[in-house]
Amino acid sequence: MTFADGMTVTIQSAGLKPASAYAAGAVEGKIAAVQITVTNEGEEVVDAAGVSALTASAGETGTPAPSAADEGITNPTLGSILPGETKTGVFGYGLSAIDAQKVQLEIYGNNFDDRVVFTGAIS
């Protein structure tokens, strides 16, 4: 998805990752992870805070998906992105394997008025 300001957002499933003993929010010993890449193809600095503040729901009922974290799954704040630059972060959710088969992520653009909804599975 490319927003009007040139911010392009790509989401890929990073799979159901085994959780370490230090993980927060894991379900069934795993964390459902997605990799989000943001590229600024515009001419002005963009603020990717809306990407970092994404909301997620999952399962047949669309239950809010709680954040989860572990080594390499840090749910980062992507911050400002200069023209031509790209930032990538891995975001985690505490979901069962069944709920991870139907996930909806809502991401906001630079001004929080624009938004896009991604749907798919994390497997």
Side-chain angles (χ1 to χ4, degrees):
M1 169 66 186
T2 300
F3 290 94
D5 60 5
M7 183 173 73
T8 300
V9 178
T10 304
I11 296 180
Q12 292 181 298
S13 170
L16 292 170
K17 304 284 188 182
S20 74
Y22 305 103
V27 173
E28 299 170 353
K30 298 190 185 233
I31 295 176
V34 293
Q35 178 178 301
I36 299 178
T37 302
V38 180
T39 301
N40 182 355
E41 296 178 358
E43 297 179 12
E44 302 289 328
V45 174
V46 296
D47 182 3
V51 173
S52 300
L54 65 101
T55 60
S57 58
E60 290 299 322
T61 61
T63 303
S67 291
D70 202 357
E71 184 176 337
I73 305 171
T74 60
N75 304 311
T77 300
L78 298 177
S80 297
I81 302 176
L82 299 172
E85 291 196 358
T86 297
K87 289 188 179 181
T88 299
V90 179
F91 295 79
Y93 300 95
L95 299 172
S96 69
I98 292 171
D99 284 345
Q101 294 307 303
K102 186 172 184 180
V103 177
Q104 178 174 304
L105 301 172
E106 186 171 358
I107 294 180
Y108 299 90
N110 190 28
N111 63 11
F112 284 89
D113 290 330
D114 297 328
R115 68 183 176 100
V116 64
V117 177
F118 292 89
T119 58
I122 301 173
S123 54

